[in-house]
Amino acid sequence: VRGNNRLKLGLFGLNCSSGNIMTTVPERWSGSWEDSLNVSQAADAAGIEFVLPIARWKGFGGETDYQGTALETITWATGILARTRNIMAFGTVHVPLFHPVIAAKQMVTAHHVGEGRFGLNIVCGWNEGEFDMLGIEQRDHESRYRYAQEWLDVVRALWSNPDEFDFAGDFFQLRNVKALPKPFGGRQPIVMNAGFSPTGQDFAIRNCDALFTFANTAGHIAQAKAKAGRHGRTVDVYTIGKTVCRPSAAEAREYHDYAVVERADWPGIDNLLAVRGITPETLGAAEFEEFRMQTASARGSLALVGDPDTVAAELARLCEMGLAGVALIMVDYAAELPFFCDEVLPRLERMNLRAGPANAANR
Ligand SMILES: Cc1cc2nc3c(=O)[nH]c(=O)nc-3n(C[C@H](O)[C@H](O)[C@H](O)COP(=O)(O)O)c2cc1C
């Protein structure tokens, strides 16, 4: 991600209804274009570095049809980039669903609109229902990443090769390939991936500028960076953090427990878990209940719940551990982001983890 701040910040999931929190509270995120744009512009003005959308083709049913309303991410990012100044916007691309020649051009278009601020989040897909809807069969896990490797090789060749070329791979046989224009300013878009399995992480380490992970331990982060080093590369490690920041710790905890646990979309959570093969039948009742609770309260993301001092201190701790940044998740970004920007960002500036938004133009 562009910029010099030691700790970079982004917003995750603005393009989807409910964002990334499975709650039934009426103020849950709309995912509308208007709300996406307003919040992205506010984030841009505050010096936040990036917005990262979620590629979702079908909701999860339940009480709220979690993520059932979702704007397509490359077109969404292009719109955001046209109407902001400094913030980066990612497009999240399911490689099995987009032909690389078409996707490379869509992304170059976004990159030109944003004068170099577009980034690619490359995902292989995991949600069976989405693939059924498209009539496409998912490959087994290892082949998914072999396919992703070839797909990205094609895209990078399209972005960089000035001449016409042929591509002969296991999955793509392409002849007389040509693509103009090249990415804006002669620099390729930043590429990120959120591989979690060993194969997924290896893919990210070999190919990507940024790895998003759920495993937020210093050891894990150092290991990923060391692995990248062995490939002669550097990789920045990021994570996602569910944020409830309020004037007092008690208020934050109370709202978190209300919105995220008490008013969780339990039928939606059960549907999401079932896609991953997690049911009371496969797991046993007790373990399933534990999984359900974990899914409601964090779903692998970190919890940044507390008053501004606590949230800033926790972000500082993550930075100390070697993380390059965090993509924030909120119940209602429009209502909650201003308080975060007014209270947490100045604290991070005082800790020398970030410069003020006035310096955003230097990025
Ligand atoms: C920050 C982040 C963004 C993600 N975005 C998407 C997405 O937009 N669409 C999707 O289907 N999966 C998305 N995922 C899920 C990952 O692609 C999924 O966890 C990954 O497939 C797991 O890695 P594995 O294949 O190595 O097991 C995201 C995960 C993270 C952490």
Side-chain angles (χ1 to χ4, degrees):
V1 172
R2 290 150 52 107
N4 297 322
N5 285 334
R6 271 177 66 204
L7 177 75
K8 301 194 173 56
L9 293 172
L11 300 176
F12 184 45
L14 287 178
N15 67 314
C16 289
S17 58
S18 298
N20 202 45
I21 297 186
M22 301 188 81
T23 176
T24 61
V25 295
E27 68 272 27
R28 66 184 183 273
W29 187 239
S30 72
S32 74
W33 168 248
E34 194 187 7
D35 288 344
S36 288
L37 180 62
N38 286 336
V39 167
S40 298
Q41 288 177 331
D44 193 24
I48 286 181
E49 279 86 354
F50 65 95
V51 284
L52 174 60
I54 298 171
R56 186 90 302 132
W57 305 97
K58 192 179 188 178
F60 288 91
E63 281 181 52
T64 59
D65 194 21
Y66 174 64
Q67 297 182 339
T69 298
L71 294 168
E72 190 284 318
T73 66
I74 303 178
T75 39
W76 179 90
T78 308
I80 297 287
L81 290 168
R83 300 189 59 187
T84 49
R85 285 168 175 274
N86 294 302
I87 200 164
M88 274 192 66
F90 283 90
T92 300
V93 180
H94 276 101
V95 291
L97 309 183
F98 285 65
H99 192 283
V101 177
I102 313 272
K105 195 176 270 297
Q106 289 173 317
M107 294 188 281
V108 162
T109 307
H111 203 244
H112 278 256
V113 170
E115 299 180 333
R117 291 179 289 129
F118 177 81
L120 162 65
N121 175 20
I122 182 165
V123 296
C124 292
W126 55 271
N127 182 350
E128 213 62 69
E130 293 185 326
F131 281 70
D132 287 349
M133 181 171 98
L134 285 143
I136 291 176
E137 206 162 312
Q138 286 222 70
R139 293 180 177 81
D140 67 77
H141 192 262
E142 296 301 302
S143 317
R144 271 178 225 173
Y145 280 99
R146 282 203 304 119
Y147 183 90
Q149 185 64 58
E150 231 182 89
W151 189 97
L152 189 57
D153 290 345
V154 172
V155 166
R156 290 221 189 263
L158 284 155
W159 282 347
S160 60
N161 198 333
D163 305 316
E164 224 173 74
F165 63 94
D166 292 342
F167 188 95
D170 294 337
F171 303 101
F172 297 104
Q173 291 81 42
L174 313 171
R175 272 195 304 280
N176 303 333
V177 183
K178 215 175 157 177
L180 290 168
K182 298 301 177 201
F184 182 85
R187 289 177 63 184
Q188 297 197 7
I190 280 171
V191 179
M192 62 154 281
N193 171 264
F196 189 65
S197 61
T199 311
Q201 293 228 335
D202 276 355
F203 174 83
I205 283 161
R206 273 186 280 110
N207 294 289
C208 299
D209 307 292
L211 163 70
F212 274 71
T213 178
F214 298 120
N216 306 305
T217 63
H220 180 85
I221 296 161
Q223 197 183 30
K225 289 182 177 182
K227 231 182 196 176
R230 287 198 290 278
H231 287 277
R233 308 188 73 255
T234 54
V235 72
D236 287 334
V237 184
Y238 287 77
T239 196
I240 49 177
K242 184 168 38 71
T243 310
V244 180
C245 187
R246 296 292 186 273
S248 76
E251 278 170 85
R253 175 56 53 195
E254 198 177 306
Y255 184 75
H256 173 273
D257 291 352
Y258 158 74
V260 178
V261 182
E262 201 182 306
R263 298 288 300 274
D265 180 354
W266 293 110
I269 288 171
D270 291 349
N271 290 343
L272 185 135
L273 289 176
V275 175
R276 293 189 180 267
I278 300 167
T279 65
E281 289 73 36
T282 58
L283 224 59
E287 207 178 323
F288 177 73
E289 201 44 53
E290 203 182 305
F291 237 97
R292 247 182 139 213
M293 192 49 88
Q294 259 180 29
T295 304
S297 71
R299 262 208 342 292
S301 69
L302 194 87
L304 298 165
V305 180
D307 55 76
D309 282 335
T310 311
V311 171
E314 178 62 5
L315 286 167
R317 189 183 69 84
L318 293 166
C319 192
E320 208 50 50
M321 257 165 48
L323 279 180
V326 182
L328 306 173
I329 299 163
M330 294 172 182
V331 172
D332 179 353
Y333 298 89
E336 298 180 62
L337 186 64
F339 183 72
F340 181 91
C341 290
D342 289 348
E343 296 296 332
V344 180
L345 293 186
R347 285 169 166 80
L348 296 174
E349 287 162 27
R350 289 198 289 274
M351 293 173 186
N352 290 322
L353 298 177
R354 297 179 58 81
N359 297 322
N362 300 333
R363 290 195 267 132

